[in-house]
Amino acid sequence: MIVTISNEHGSGGLGAARIAAERLAYKFVDQQLPVVVAKRLRTSREAVNAAESASTSVGERILRVLELGTPEMGSAQKGAGFDEECVREVQRAVRDYAARGDCVIMGRGGSAVLGRRHDVVRVFLHAPRDWRIHHLMDGHGVEEKIATEEVDRVDRARHQYMRLYHDMEWGNTENYDLSIDTSSFGAEGAAALIVHAVELRG
């Protein structure tokens, strides 16, 4: 079975996904994806992450890549063409991991890439905005203004990414098999619900 996890920023989705993967004894796929794509495209993980960010302009992404010290990237890699190539490779990497089975794939539009399948459980983890802001404040020791800006920025970027590359409304429950409010269940409870859903599907 394959589990895809989409989450609102600050909802504790990463922790819930890791716990679920551990309980299921599944491979947890998160930061491996940009590394795999970077190797395939012969560039850096930072460049892949920058290209995936739909919240910034092409010019801003190029500047970010240059600031990260990757001047070896060819001019053909800088711009919308490179961004789209990265996304295509991310999608291919998601499918490759899914083909091996028994994995929990974090983000990267995995729910849209794999779609509705009998061997896929598509999960969306969410929580009220105010709860997520305070969760970030408590977890990272940041001020409320910074936490608020970060929650809004990341959520906006994820909305744009899904709309731009998958023509899908991020967070729409029709696009998921299971939607969990982590403010009600916590990471442990959310993980337990995910595991139960996998067992039922299996």
Side-chain angles (χ1 to χ4, degrees):
M1 294 288 292
I2 303 103
V3 180
T4 65
I5 306 286
S6 303
N7 68 296
E8 290 182 330
H9 191 50
S11 65
L14 186 61
R18 282 177 172 155
I19 294 170
E22 183 177 343
R23 290 182 181 175
L24 289 164
Y26 280 10
K27 182 175 183 60
F28 181 58
V29 182
D30 182 22
Q31 292 303 314
Q32 301 96 315
L33 286 171
V35 172
V36 168
V37 172
K39 288 180 179 179
R40 289 177 177 177
L41 297 180
R42 297 181 181 179
T43 185
S44 69
R45 183 179 66 179
E46 292 81 7
V48 174
N49 285 330
E52 278 196 288
S53 176
S55 63
T56 55
S57 68
V58 171
E60 288 172 325
R61 290 176 227 171
I62 293 170
L63 287 175
R64 185 190 306 170
V65 169
L66 293 176
E67 288 170 357
L68 288 167
T70 55
E72 70 276 11
M73 290 177 59
S75 59
Q77 289 182 320
K78 299 172 184 176
F82 177 61
D83 297 343
E84 292 168 3
E85 187 176 7
C86 278
V87 172
R88 282 196 300 271
E89 285 299 327
V90 166
Q91 293 171 358
R92 188 158 73 94
V94 166
R95 293 189 186 97
D96 289 346
Y97 274 107
R100 302 170 195 171
D102 292 353
C103 63
V104 174
I105 300 174
M106 188 74 195
R108 312 296 182 188
S111 61
V113 174
L114 300 178
R116 186 182 295 275
R117 290 170 30 175
H118 73 280
D119 61 342
V120 176
V121 176
R122 303 166 299 163
V123 180
F124 184 71
L125 302 176
H126 59 93
R129 179 172 175 271
D130 187 63
W131 186 92
R132 293 187 286 126
I133 290 169
H134 284 87
H135 184 67
L136 282 182
M137 291 170 62
D138 295 340
H140 298 279
V142 297
E143 297 178 356
E144 184 173 1
K145 181 177 184 295
I146 294 173
T148 300
E149 291 174 350
E150 188 67 4
V151 162
D152 291 343
R153 181 188 67 81
V154 175
D155 282 355
R156 184 169 56 250
R158 289 175 181 172
H159 270 290
Q160 293 173 346
Y161 180 88
M162 294 300 288
R163 185 171 61 248
L164 178 63
Y165 295 117
H166 298 287
D167 192 26
M168 179 180 288
E169 184 182 353
W170 179 74
N172 185 334
T173 55
E174 293 182 0
N175 298 321
Y176 306 93
D177 302 303
L178 181 64
S179 181
I180 304 171
D181 184 340
T182 52
S183 70
S184 296
F185 296 97
E188 291 280 348
L193 290 170
I194 293 168
V195 170
H196 187 53
V198 170
E199 292 171 346
L200 289 174
R201 179 65 63 84

